[in-house]
Every structure is written in structure tokens, then in C-alpha cells.
Short mmCIF file of all heavy atoms in Angstrom, two decimals:
data_model
loop_
_atom_site.label_atom_id
_atom_site.label_comp_id
_atom_site.label_asym_id
_atom_site.label_seq_id
_atom_site.Cartn_x
_atom_site.Cartn_y
_atom_site.Cartn_z
N VAL A 10 83.96 -23.51 -313.84
CA VAL A 10 83.87 -24.69 -314.74
C VAL A 10 83.91 -24.22 -316.20
O VAL A 10 84.64 -24.68 -316.92
CB VAL A 10 82.60 -25.52 -314.43
CG1 VAL A 10 82.43 -26.72 -315.61
CG2 VAL A 10 82.59 -26.21 -313.24
N MET A 11 83.10 -23.25 -316.52
CA MET A 11 83.01 -22.78 -317.92
C MET A 11 84.38 -22.12 -318.37
O MET A 11 84.85 -22.41 -319.53
CB MET A 11 81.95 -21.67 -318.04
CG MET A 11 80.49 -22.30 -317.96
SD MET A 11 79.18 -21.13 -318.52
CE MET A 11 79.02 -20.03 -317.05
N VAL A 12 84.99 -21.28 -317.51
CA VAL A 12 86.21 -20.68 -317.90
C VAL A 12 87.35 -21.68 -317.91
O VAL A 12 88.09 -21.72 -318.90
CB VAL A 12 86.63 -19.49 -316.82
CG1 VAL A 12 87.95 -19.07 -317.19
CG2 VAL A 12 85.52 -18.39 -317.01
N VAL A 13 87.39 -22.53 -316.97
CA VAL A 13 88.54 -23.51 -316.96
C VAL A 13 88.49 -24.43 -318.16
O VAL A 13 89.59 -24.57 -318.77
CB VAL A 13 88.40 -24.40 -315.64
CG1 VAL A 13 89.36 -25.66 -315.74
CG2 VAL A 13 88.93 -23.65 -314.42
N PHE A 14 87.40 -25.00 -318.51
CA PHE A 14 87.28 -25.90 -319.63
C PHE A 14 87.38 -25.20 -320.94
O PHE A 14 87.73 -25.80 -322.07
CB PHE A 14 86.32 -26.90 -319.39
CG PHE A 14 86.62 -27.97 -318.45
CD1 PHE A 14 86.09 -27.80 -317.05
CD2 PHE A 14 87.56 -28.93 -318.59
CE1 PHE A 14 86.47 -28.69 -316.04
CE2 PHE A 14 87.83 -29.82 -317.63
CZ PHE A 14 87.37 -29.74 -316.35
N ASP A 15 86.94 -23.89 -320.93
CA ASP A 15 87.19 -23.14 -322.14
C ASP A 15 88.71 -22.84 -322.46
O ASP A 15 89.19 -23.03 -323.51
CB ASP A 15 86.45 -21.76 -322.04
CG ASP A 15 86.72 -20.87 -323.21
OD1 ASP A 15 86.23 -21.12 -324.25
OD2 ASP A 15 87.45 -19.85 -323.03
N MET A 16 89.43 -22.73 -321.25
CA MET A 16 90.78 -22.48 -321.31
C MET A 16 91.52 -23.82 -321.82
O MET A 16 92.39 -23.87 -322.65
CB MET A 16 91.49 -22.08 -319.88
CG MET A 16 92.94 -22.18 -319.89
SD MET A 16 93.66 -23.76 -319.37
CE MET A 16 92.92 -24.02 -317.75
N VAL A 17 90.98 -24.95 -321.36
CA VAL A 17 91.57 -26.31 -321.67
C VAL A 17 91.27 -26.47 -323.20
O VAL A 17 92.21 -26.85 -324.01
CB VAL A 17 90.89 -27.38 -320.90
CG1 VAL A 17 91.28 -28.77 -321.43
CG2 VAL A 17 91.47 -27.33 -319.45
N ALA A 18 90.11 -26.23 -323.67
CA ALA A 18 89.73 -26.39 -325.12
C ALA A 18 90.58 -25.37 -326.00
O ALA A 18 91.12 -25.83 -327.05
CB ALA A 18 88.20 -26.01 -325.37
N ARG A 19 90.76 -24.19 -325.53
CA ARG A 19 91.64 -23.27 -326.31
C ARG A 19 92.99 -23.76 -326.44
O ARG A 19 93.62 -23.65 -327.53
CB ARG A 19 91.61 -21.87 -325.70
CG ARG A 19 90.24 -21.05 -325.87
CD ARG A 19 90.29 -19.83 -325.01
NE ARG A 19 89.21 -19.04 -325.04
CZ ARG A 19 88.97 -17.95 -325.76
NH1 ARG A 19 89.90 -17.65 -326.60
NH2 ARG A 19 87.81 -17.28 -325.77
N TRP A 20 93.59 -24.32 -325.32
CA TRP A 20 94.99 -24.66 -325.35
C TRP A 20 95.12 -26.00 -326.08
O TRP A 20 96.08 -26.15 -326.85
CB TRP A 20 95.49 -24.89 -324.02
CG TRP A 20 96.99 -25.31 -324.06
CD1 TRP A 20 97.56 -26.44 -323.77
CD2 TRP A 20 98.06 -24.50 -324.72
NE1 TRP A 20 98.86 -26.57 -324.08
CE2 TRP A 20 99.24 -25.22 -324.61
CE3 TRP A 20 98.15 -23.21 -325.23
CZ2 TRP A 20 100.46 -24.82 -325.10
CZ3 TRP A 20 99.33 -22.79 -325.67
CH2 TRP A 20 100.51 -23.54 -325.70
N LEU A 21 94.31 -26.88 -326.06
CA LEU A 21 94.30 -28.14 -326.85
C LEU A 21 94.35 -27.74 -328.44
O LEU A 21 95.08 -28.29 -329.18
CB LEU A 21 93.10 -28.98 -326.65
CG LEU A 21 93.12 -29.68 -325.21
CD1 LEU A 21 91.80 -30.52 -325.02
CD2 LEU A 21 94.20 -30.83 -325.25
N ARG A 22 93.42 -26.67 -328.76
CA ARG A 22 93.55 -26.32 -330.19
C ARG A 22 94.82 -25.59 -330.54
O ARG A 22 95.38 -25.84 -331.55
CB ARG A 22 92.25 -25.53 -330.45
CG ARG A 22 91.02 -26.35 -330.45
CD ARG A 22 89.80 -25.53 -330.51
NE ARG A 22 88.58 -26.46 -330.68
CZ ARG A 22 87.49 -26.27 -330.08
NH1 ARG A 22 87.29 -25.32 -329.27
NH2 ARG A 22 86.45 -27.12 -330.31
N ALA A 23 95.31 -24.68 -329.58
CA ALA A 23 96.53 -24.05 -329.76
C ALA A 23 97.80 -25.03 -329.89
O ALA A 23 98.75 -24.77 -330.58
CB ALA A 23 96.75 -22.96 -328.76
N ASP A 24 97.67 -26.11 -329.16
CA ASP A 24 98.68 -27.04 -329.17
C ASP A 24 98.60 -28.11 -330.38
O ASP A 24 99.45 -29.00 -330.48
CB ASP A 24 98.50 -27.89 -327.88
CG ASP A 24 99.95 -28.14 -327.20
OD1 ASP A 24 100.96 -27.48 -327.54
OD2 ASP A 24 99.89 -28.88 -326.22
N GLY A 25 97.64 -27.86 -331.23
CA GLY A 25 97.60 -28.54 -332.44
C GLY A 25 96.64 -29.67 -332.64
O GLY A 25 96.57 -30.36 -333.60
N TYR A 26 95.88 -29.87 -331.52
CA TYR A 26 94.82 -30.95 -331.55
C TYR A 26 93.66 -30.52 -332.29
O TYR A 26 93.10 -29.50 -332.10
CB TYR A 26 94.58 -31.39 -330.12
CG TYR A 26 95.67 -32.06 -329.47
CD1 TYR A 26 96.53 -31.34 -328.55
CD2 TYR A 26 96.07 -33.45 -329.74
CE1 TYR A 26 97.64 -31.90 -328.01
CE2 TYR A 26 97.11 -34.00 -329.07
CZ TYR A 26 97.94 -33.31 -328.33
OH TYR A 26 99.03 -33.86 -327.60
N ASP A 27 93.00 -31.40 -332.96
CA ASP A 27 91.68 -31.33 -333.50
C ASP A 27 90.70 -31.64 -332.53
O ASP A 27 90.42 -32.94 -332.27
CB ASP A 27 91.57 -32.14 -334.79
CG ASP A 27 90.18 -31.98 -335.50
OD1 ASP A 27 89.37 -31.17 -334.98
OD2 ASP A 27 89.94 -32.76 -336.37
N LEU A 28 90.09 -30.71 -331.79
CA LEU A 28 89.30 -30.98 -330.64
C LEU A 28 87.87 -31.10 -330.86
O LEU A 28 87.26 -30.17 -331.71
CB LEU A 28 89.55 -30.01 -329.44
CG LEU A 28 88.58 -30.06 -328.29
CD1 LEU A 28 88.88 -31.29 -327.49
CD2 LEU A 28 88.81 -28.71 -327.47
N THR A 29 87.17 -32.14 -330.39
CA THR A 29 85.64 -32.16 -330.30
C THR A 29 85.30 -31.95 -328.95
O THR A 29 85.57 -32.78 -328.05
CB THR A 29 85.09 -33.34 -330.93
OG1 THR A 29 85.51 -33.66 -332.27
CG2 THR A 29 83.59 -33.28 -330.87
N TYR A 30 84.54 -30.81 -328.61
CA TYR A 30 84.25 -30.40 -327.19
C TYR A 30 82.74 -30.54 -326.97
O TYR A 30 82.05 -29.81 -327.72
CB TYR A 30 84.84 -29.03 -326.88
CG TYR A 30 84.47 -28.44 -325.48
CD1 TYR A 30 84.01 -29.32 -324.42
CD2 TYR A 30 84.52 -27.14 -325.28
CE1 TYR A 30 83.72 -28.77 -323.27
CE2 TYR A 30 84.28 -26.55 -324.11
CZ TYR A 30 83.90 -27.38 -323.03
OH TYR A 30 83.50 -26.79 -321.80
N VAL A 31 82.34 -31.44 -326.00
CA VAL A 31 80.88 -31.47 -325.68
C VAL A 31 80.60 -31.13 -324.19
O VAL A 31 81.36 -31.54 -323.33
CB VAL A 31 80.50 -33.01 -325.80
CG1 VAL A 31 78.93 -33.14 -325.48
CG2 VAL A 31 80.70 -33.45 -327.31
N ARG A 32 79.65 -30.22 -324.01
CA ARG A 32 79.23 -29.89 -322.74
C ARG A 32 77.72 -30.08 -322.71
O ARG A 32 76.98 -29.28 -323.41
CB ARG A 32 79.65 -28.46 -322.29
CG ARG A 32 79.47 -28.14 -320.81
CD ARG A 32 79.84 -26.72 -320.44
NE ARG A 32 78.84 -25.75 -321.08
CZ ARG A 32 79.10 -24.50 -321.46
NH1 ARG A 32 80.38 -24.08 -321.33
NH2 ARG A 32 78.15 -23.85 -321.96
N ASN A 33 77.29 -30.84 -321.74
CA ASN A 33 75.81 -31.17 -321.76
C ASN A 33 74.98 -30.07 -321.08
O ASN A 33 75.44 -29.27 -320.26
CB ASN A 33 75.56 -32.49 -321.10
CG ASN A 33 75.65 -32.47 -319.56
OD1 ASN A 33 76.68 -32.20 -319.04
ND2 ASN A 33 74.53 -32.83 -319.05
N ILE A 34 73.75 -30.11 -321.18
CA ILE A 34 72.73 -29.33 -320.46
C ILE A 34 71.70 -30.34 -319.81
O ILE A 34 71.00 -31.10 -320.54
CB ILE A 34 71.99 -28.37 -321.37
CG1 ILE A 34 72.87 -27.36 -321.89
CG2 ILE A 34 70.76 -27.66 -320.53
CD1 ILE A 34 72.36 -26.41 -323.01
N THR A 35 71.57 -30.24 -318.48
CA THR A 35 70.59 -31.12 -317.79
C THR A 35 69.25 -30.29 -317.74
O THR A 35 69.14 -29.22 -317.02
CB THR A 35 70.91 -31.41 -316.45
OG1 THR A 35 72.21 -32.26 -316.47
CG2 THR A 35 69.84 -32.15 -315.72
N ASP A 36 68.26 -30.69 -318.56
CA ASP A 36 67.00 -29.93 -318.64
C ASP A 36 65.80 -30.74 -318.11
O ASP A 36 64.63 -30.44 -318.42
CB ASP A 36 66.82 -29.46 -320.12
CG ASP A 36 66.62 -30.52 -321.09
OD1 ASP A 36 67.01 -31.66 -320.79
OD2 ASP A 36 66.11 -30.28 -322.24
N ILE A 37 66.04 -31.76 -317.32
CA ILE A 37 65.03 -32.52 -316.71
C ILE A 37 65.64 -33.11 -315.40
O ILE A 37 66.64 -33.88 -315.54
CB ILE A 37 64.32 -33.52 -317.49
CG1 ILE A 37 63.08 -34.18 -316.86
CG2 ILE A 37 65.28 -34.57 -318.05
CD1 ILE A 37 61.99 -33.13 -316.50
N ASP A 38 65.05 -32.72 -314.20
CA ASP A 38 65.40 -33.42 -312.96
C ASP A 38 64.53 -32.84 -311.85
O ASP A 38 63.66 -32.08 -312.06
CB ASP A 38 66.97 -33.27 -312.61
CG ASP A 38 67.22 -31.98 -311.92
OD1 ASP A 38 66.41 -31.01 -311.96
OD2 ASP A 38 68.25 -31.96 -311.07
N ASP A 39 64.74 -33.31 -310.66
CA ASP A 39 63.82 -33.01 -309.56
C ASP A 39 63.71 -31.53 -309.35
O ASP A 39 62.73 -30.88 -309.08
CB ASP A 39 64.27 -33.86 -308.21
CG ASP A 39 64.09 -35.28 -308.45
OD1 ASP A 39 63.32 -35.66 -309.20
OD2 ASP A 39 64.63 -35.98 -307.58
N LYS A 40 64.88 -30.82 -309.36
CA LYS A 40 65.02 -29.39 -309.01
C LYS A 40 64.22 -28.60 -310.08
O LYS A 40 63.52 -27.57 -309.62
CB LYS A 40 66.42 -28.95 -308.91
CG LYS A 40 67.11 -29.49 -307.70
CD LYS A 40 68.63 -29.06 -307.68
CE LYS A 40 69.32 -29.57 -306.47
NZ LYS A 40 70.71 -29.22 -306.49
N ILE A 41 64.39 -29.11 -311.32
CA ILE A 41 63.69 -28.31 -312.40
C ILE A 41 62.22 -28.40 -312.32
O ILE A 41 61.43 -27.48 -312.35
CB ILE A 41 64.17 -28.88 -313.67
CG1 ILE A 41 65.68 -28.48 -313.95
CG2 ILE A 41 63.17 -28.38 -314.92
CD1 ILE A 41 66.25 -29.03 -315.26
N ILE A 42 61.72 -29.71 -312.05
CA ILE A 42 60.30 -30.02 -311.87
C ILE A 42 59.68 -29.12 -310.66
O ILE A 42 58.65 -28.50 -310.85
CB ILE A 42 59.99 -31.42 -311.70
CG1 ILE A 42 60.43 -32.21 -312.92
CG2 ILE A 42 58.61 -31.73 -311.25
CD1 ILE A 42 60.40 -33.77 -312.70
N LYS A 43 60.42 -29.14 -309.55
CA LYS A 43 59.98 -28.40 -308.40
C LYS A 43 59.92 -26.87 -308.61
O LYS A 43 58.91 -26.27 -308.33
CB LYS A 43 60.97 -28.69 -307.23
CG LYS A 43 60.52 -28.04 -305.88
CD LYS A 43 61.43 -28.50 -304.81
CE LYS A 43 61.02 -27.90 -303.43
NZ LYS A 43 61.43 -26.51 -303.34
N ARG A 44 60.95 -26.35 -309.32
CA ARG A 44 60.93 -24.88 -309.57
C ARG A 44 59.95 -24.44 -310.51
O ARG A 44 59.15 -23.47 -310.34
CB ARG A 44 62.33 -24.51 -310.09
CG ARG A 44 62.54 -23.05 -310.27
CD ARG A 44 62.37 -22.17 -309.02
NE ARG A 44 63.41 -22.59 -308.00
CZ ARG A 44 64.65 -22.17 -307.90
NH1 ARG A 44 65.04 -21.28 -308.86
NH2 ARG A 44 65.38 -22.54 -306.97
N ALA A 45 59.60 -25.25 -311.57
CA ALA A 45 58.60 -24.97 -312.49
C ALA A 45 57.31 -24.96 -311.84
O ALA A 45 56.41 -24.00 -312.01
CB ALA A 45 58.64 -25.92 -313.66
N ALA A 46 57.12 -25.92 -311.00
CA ALA A 46 55.78 -25.92 -310.22
C ALA A 46 55.62 -24.71 -309.33
O ALA A 46 54.44 -24.27 -309.22
CB ALA A 46 55.67 -27.28 -309.41
N GLU A 47 56.66 -24.33 -308.58
CA GLU A 47 56.68 -23.18 -307.78
C GLU A 47 56.40 -21.87 -308.47
O GLU A 47 55.56 -21.02 -308.02
CB GLU A 47 57.99 -22.92 -307.10
CG GLU A 47 58.27 -24.07 -306.02
CD GLU A 47 59.64 -24.08 -305.46
OE1 GLU A 47 60.53 -23.34 -306.09
OE2 GLU A 47 60.01 -24.71 -304.46
#
């Protein structure tokens, strides 16, 4: 995922587009709560 959409972002910019690229971070969910407790 990281490499593919980095490639997409690089090409959009090389192709002349002014790109705004957002990639989120999920820092709260069931797995996180469970792992922190463990």
C-alpha cells in the first residue's frame, strides 16, 4: 500500500498535478485497546 500510493503520488506530481495527499493513522480501535492491555 505504501509503495503503490507513493508511486501514484510521485507520478501525479511528475504529470503536472498539484497534489494534496492524505494518509490516515488509526490510533484507537479494539485491537489497539486489547494489545495495550496485554
Side-chain angles (χ1 to χ4, degrees):
V10 171
M11 288 192 286
V12 170
V13 162
F14 287 99
D15 178 69
M16 172 273 293
V17 170
R19 286 171 182 264
W20 182 247
L21 287 169
R22 288 173 174 137
D24 223 13
Y26 293 98
D27 178 10
L28 172 69
T29 302
Y30 175 21
V31 179
R32 189 185 69 208
N33 77 296
I34 295 172
T35 298
D36 60 347
I37 185 66
D38 88 331
D39 293 342
K40 292 178 181 178
I41 291 172
I42 294 169
K43 182 173 183 289
R44 183 62 56 84
E47 291 171 348

